[in-house]
Structures are given as structure tokens and as C-alpha cells.
Amino acid sequence: MCFPFLTQRKKLLQTFQNDAHVVSAVVGTQWGDEGKGKVVDLLSHSFDIVARYQGGPNAGHTVKYDGKTFVLHHIPTGILRPGISCVLGNGMVINIESLIHEIDQLSKQSIDVFSRLLISENAHIIMPYHIKIDCASESSAHADKEAIGTTGRGIGPAYADKARRTGVRIGDLLHPSLLEKKVKSNVEYANKILRAVYDADGCDYAEVMAKLEKTAKYIDKNIVNARQYVCNAIGNGKKVLLEGAQGTHLDIDFGTYPFVTSSNTTIGGACTGLGVGPKDIGTVIGIMKAYTTRVGNGPFPTELEGPKGEKMRKIGDEFGATTGRPRRCGWWDGVAGKISVQLNNIDYFAITKLDVLDTFESIRICTGYKLGNRVIDYIPSNPEEACAMEPVYEEVEGWNTDITGVKEYEELPEQARNYLEIIEKITGVPVMLVSVGPRRKETIWKNEL
Ligand code: IMP
């Protein structure tokens, strides 16, 4: 016997599930460098569009396949899959010269970029004076104690101009007189700061303008109303993957402020950084390294400063893709993980670099923080308190086996599966895939999307 209401419910559920996957998002759940590039590359074959929503060339993805290495800073890794369009959203800050360099490198490796790259007219431009101010501010004597350890790419000052409502936007490149006016007053303002506050050299307006005019010619045909492009694509049933940069705990609002980047790295940033509505986002995939790393300064409760940290850095090749700086390394942090799940509504985890833990006799998992004589499960907003916290650990047995060749989840050593299941239990989020090496084939699928 058939119950019509049940059939209807099943249909509704199916419609919902289909719709839910039209737009998916990938977010970093730690302090960046979780391996988002590889995961976006793996997932992107199921999507028509990959769109980035925040950050700029402070991000760096290294993707290896076919014996080639691709290093990307602005462009989503989706560009490596033929037929996929890539969007740089309004929430981004773009260094045009370095973007062109990236396009050239990809073109030399036979990747067609120009016909598939769309740049939001509302994205902001990183200007030479932003880079100067960023570097001067980091190295100035008064900032010495409080240096953020930025990537020196001008990210903070570019977003500061956006918030001051004086920033130069990509769309301004198409309007020469507006561009000239804006650049002139911005250079004057920036030079005053550089000279008076940092005792540094300013920028030459004519030089800045000449460079902008020259580089604008390369990308002017790729400038679009990206919000409309993405929304129309969603309306027409195209599948869109939203790519976050950096990580949850570098978020300007919810990260370990002031040791953060200057954009919203969490899922809310995808809505404001592209113009998609929250209900459009069906699935959120959190990228989680099997341990924790951080570059730059700021609180890092599970940091390992001794030989174990060195060992993780060496095996994991933990050096920044953008600056080459050694990354600080430490155990996996369940408190930071749970906060990420709450902030991003994470549906699945992609666990990366599990193989880096292959030779650790025992592995620690942080389940709480001790602050004075209290155990807490949040990161205090006061950076001094956040730095003073001691992690509370649970210790598990390591697997002491090379897992890089493992293809099936069941073939992983019991201790490795146990470790992953503890992560699932602490966070309440199922693992979708486990990465055990940099190559596409070094991936174990546990749950398909
Ligand atoms: P900014 O984004 O260059 O202003 O740097 C601010 C902080 O974010 C510094 O601690 C940087 O090291 C960190 N950061 C920025 N981009 C990345 C990234 O892609 N991965 C990891 N850390 C990052």
C-alpha cells in the first residue's frame, strides 16, 4: 500500500538534498594552511564554478599533479580543472601585478585562465602604499612587541581603506578619471602616514598610476558584476563551490584578535564576500589538519616548542607557501575544532596530512584549556589570557605505520581510525575524506558528498 504523503515527503527531501548541494563551501577550521587547495582541487570536478570570497595573496595553495607543481595565491585551484569558471569575489583584496604573474605561470603550464576567470568589480585593489604601510607597521619599533607577523602583502591596510570608504576597486580601472582622482588622494594620504608615522619613503603618484594603467589592460575584460554572475548561475542550477582562504581562528571578528587577518574567514564571509544568501549554502566542508599549525604571532595553546614540534615541521614540510616562514606546530585542538563547527555549521570534515603523524609513538588531543584553576572550552578575547592557557590533553596510542599508500578507510591501522573517530566524537562532525599525501590519489574517501 502506498501512502501519498510519504511519497511527497520523500520527494521534498530529495528536492532539498539536490538543492542543498548546488552550493557548497570549503572553510579552514584552524589557523590557516589546512590544505584547502588540495581539497578544493579534489572536489571541484563536481562543480561548474569555484569562487573565492575573502583574503588576497596572503593565501597560498600548492597543488601537485601530473608531475607538475602549481602555486596559487589569488586564483582558486578549480582553475586546474578544464571547463570550470573561477570567480574572485568582492570580499577579496587583489594585487593586480601578482595576479597577472599567477595567470602567466598558469598559461605557461597550458592552463587557459583568461576565458574562465571572473573578477568582481567590487573587489579592492592592493596598492603599493598598502604593502609599504603593512611592512613599516610590522617592523616599526613601537609595534615590535605587538607585531602580528603578517605576510607583508598589504592585506590589513587594503581592508582598512575599504572600511574608510576610500579604497580603489577593481571596477575603478574601467573609469580613468575616477581612478586618477582616487589614486591621487590615496597616495597623498598614504605618503603622509608613511613619512610622519613610520619615517619611511612614500610612493610616487605617477609611477603608481602608470603601473595600474598598464596592468589594467590585461584583466579589463575579466571584470564583471560577480554577485549577479554567481546568483544567476545558482538560479540556473549551476553548481558552485565557495573557497575560503586562511582559517577560522584568523577571522577578524572571531579569531585570536589582534593576531588575525583582516577579513571574515568564516562562512559568513562567503555571503558578504560574494553576495550569496545564507540559505543558498547547502553543504559546508571544514578542512582540518590532523595536527595544528600557525604562522605569525599570537595564541597557540597546543604549540610544541621542542623536538616534537621540530619533527612535525620537518615531516609535514611546514613552511609558509606565501612567505616561506617556518610554521609553528602542535597537537590537534578539539576546543578550537568545536568553535569552528559552531561558527561555520560544518557538515563534514576533510582531514589532511594524517600521514605526518605516522611515526609518533603517542598522540595528544586537546580537550579543554586550563586558565588559572578553571578549565574552559572557549578562547578568551583577551590575548594575554589566551596566551596563558594550558591545554588539557587526552593521550592515545600512535599507529607507527606508513599510511601513505592506504586507499580504503578500513585499511587504516586501528589506532588511526580510533584517532579520527575521537575527532568525530569531540566535534560531532563526520569525516568525509582523509588525505595521506599531497597527490590527488593519496586520498581516502570515507563518506561521499
Ligand atoms: P595578513 O593576512 O598578511 O595581514 O596576516 C595576518 C595574520 O594571518 C598573520 O599571522 C599571518 O601569518 C596569517 N595569515 C595570513 N594568511 C595566511 C594563510 O594563508 N595561511 C596561514 N596564515 C595566514
Side-chain angles (χ1 to χ4, degrees):
M1 182 173 174
C2 173
F3 294 97
F5 71 92
L6 274 185
T7 319
Q8 201 184 4
R9 226 182 102 186
K10 206 170 150 197
K11 261 194 192 156
L12 271 175
L13 194 67
Q14 247 166 20
T15 315
F16 171 73
Q17 279 168 342
N18 290 341
D19 283 352
H21 298 298
V22 168
V23 182
S24 296
V26 161
V27 292
T29 60
Q30 294 156 311
W31 279 272
D33 306 318
E34 296 91 352
K36 294 176 287 293
K38 172 176 167 177
V39 178
V40 171
D41 175 56
L42 281 172
L43 298 177
S44 54
H45 69 91
S46 318
F47 294 86
D48 303 295
I49 297 170
V50 182
R52 246 190 86 178
Y53 54 84
Q54 45 73 229
N58 48 348
H61 295 318
T62 308
V63 182
K64 296 185 182 187
Y65 87 95
D66 252 6
K68 294 183 192 155
T69 302
F70 301 88
V71 181
L72 300 166
H73 293 287
H74 293 88
I75 305 176
T77 44
I79 204 75
L80 304 178
R81 304 259 185 193
I84 293 176
S85 301
C86 289
V87 175
L88 307 186
N90 59 279
M92 288 187 70
V93 285
I94 295 172
N95 180 324
I96 303 177
E97 241 185 300
S98 106
L99 173 64
I100 291 172
H101 178 71
E102 223 171 300
I103 296 172
D104 280 350
Q105 292 300 309
L106 288 164
S107 305
K108 276 187 196 140
Q109 302 192 71
S110 311
I111 310 269
D112 163 38
V113 183
F114 279 113
S115 67
R116 298 193 284 130
L117 183 69
L118 301 112
I119 310 170
S120 166
E121 58 192 354
N122 287 0
H124 280 247
I125 301 177
I126 300 176
M127 305 290 280
Y129 47 82
H130 291 140
I131 299 171
K132 283 192 175 210
I133 294 175
D134 190 5
C135 296
S137 142
E138 284 285 282
S139 59
S140 72
H142 83 270
D144 201 25
K145 268 206 310 219
E146 289 114 26
I148 307 294
T150 71
T151 58
R153 298 296 188 266
I155 305 295
Y159 278 114
D161 275 1
K162 174 177 176 174
R164 272 189 342 111
R165 292 152 293 181
T166 56
V168 183
R169 304 201 291 183
I170 290 284
D172 298 338
L173 297 173
L174 306 176
H175 304 282
S177 57
L178 173 69
L179 182 71
E180 271 175 36
K181 208 168 116 199
K182 274 185 149 183
V183 174
K184 196 164 190 90
S185 73
N186 275 304
V187 168
E188 273 168 22
Y189 180 83
N191 283 351
K192 277 187 199 152
I193 294 182
L194 280 163
R195 289 178 188 135
V197 179
Y198 300 112
D199 195 19
D201 291 338
C203 291
D204 181 69
Y205 162 72
E207 253 176 51
V208 173
M209 258 324 280
K211 211 176 251 180
L212 266 185
E213 280 163 353
K214 190 172 156 212
T215 49
K217 289 196 189 101
Y218 276 78
I219 55 161
D220 56 4
K221 294 190 182 54
N222 298 75
I223 301 172
V224 297
N225 179 333
R227 184 206 65 75
Q228 199 178 35
Y229 174 81
V230 172
C231 289
N232 285 347
I234 295 170
N236 292 328
K238 296 269 185 235
K239 301 209 168 196
V240 184
L241 183 62
L242 314 178
E243 174 178 329
Q246 289 85 45
T248 294
H249 297 283
L250 288 174
D251 184 280
I252 182 85
D253 286 287
F254 298 107
T256 45
Y257 192 90
F259 302 99
V260 292
T261 191
S262 299
S263 59
N264 284 112
T265 56
T266 44
I267 195 67
C271 297
T272 56
L274 274 168
V276 297
K279 289 184 190 163
D280 277 331
I281 304 173
T283 308
V284 183
I285 300 145
I287 315 300
M288 174 85 87
K289 212 183 271 188
Y291 50 99
T292 311
T293 62
R294 154 160 223 175
V295 263
N297 302 329
F300 182 176
T302 61
E303 182 169 14
L304 285 166
E305 291 187 65
K308 279 195 179 148
E310 280 291 333
K311 180 175 165 181
M312 267 183 197
R313 182 174 313 120
K314 202 163 161 219
I315 301 176
D317 193 22
E318 295 294 355
F319 296 88
T322 301
T323 59
R325 289 180 291 176
R327 294 178 186 142
R328 299 156 68 193
C329 297
W331 298 119
W332 184 76
D333 185 336
V335 180
K338 274 201 286 190
I339 296 170
S340 270
V341 171
Q342 288 173 336
L343 279 169
N344 298 298
N345 284 159
I346 291 171
D347 297 294
Y348 297 98
F349 278 135
I351 305 287
T352 59
K353 296 183 118 172
L354 186 65
D355 55 301
V356 172
L357 300 180
D358 278 359
T359 56
F360 285 79
E361 293 271 304
S362 60
I363 295 170
R364 289 180 150 195
I365 295 163
C366 172
T367 55
Y369 303 137
K370 228 176 139 204
L371 182 63
N373 50 17
R374 286 182 304 142
V375 173
I376 58 171
D377 62 355
Y378 61 91
I379 303 178
S381 74
N382 177 335
E384 275 178 27
E385 281 187 352
C387 284
M389 297 186 307
E390 289 291 334
V392 177
Y393 285 123
E394 185 180 309
E395 191 156 318
V396 293
E397 207 187 326
W399 43 96
N400 295 296
T401 315
D402 177 1
I403 59 167
T404 48
V406 174
K407 298 270 178 285
E408 301 292 332
Y409 186 78
E410 287 67 33
E411 286 167 16
L412 281 171
E414 193 190 337
Q415 295 90 334
R417 276 182 282 131
N418 178 44
Y419 181 62
L420 295 170
E421 276 148 32
I422 294 175
I423 292 178
E424 288 182 323
K425 202 165 154 213
I426 288 178
T427 57
V429 172
V431 169
M432 182 178 73
L433 69 85
V434 184
S435 168
V436 289
R439 285 164 194 83
R440 280 178 181 168
K441 61 179 184 199
E442 289 165 328
T443 307
I444 301 164
W445 290 88
K446 188 172 177 225
N447 292 295
E448 289 277 355
L449 249 190

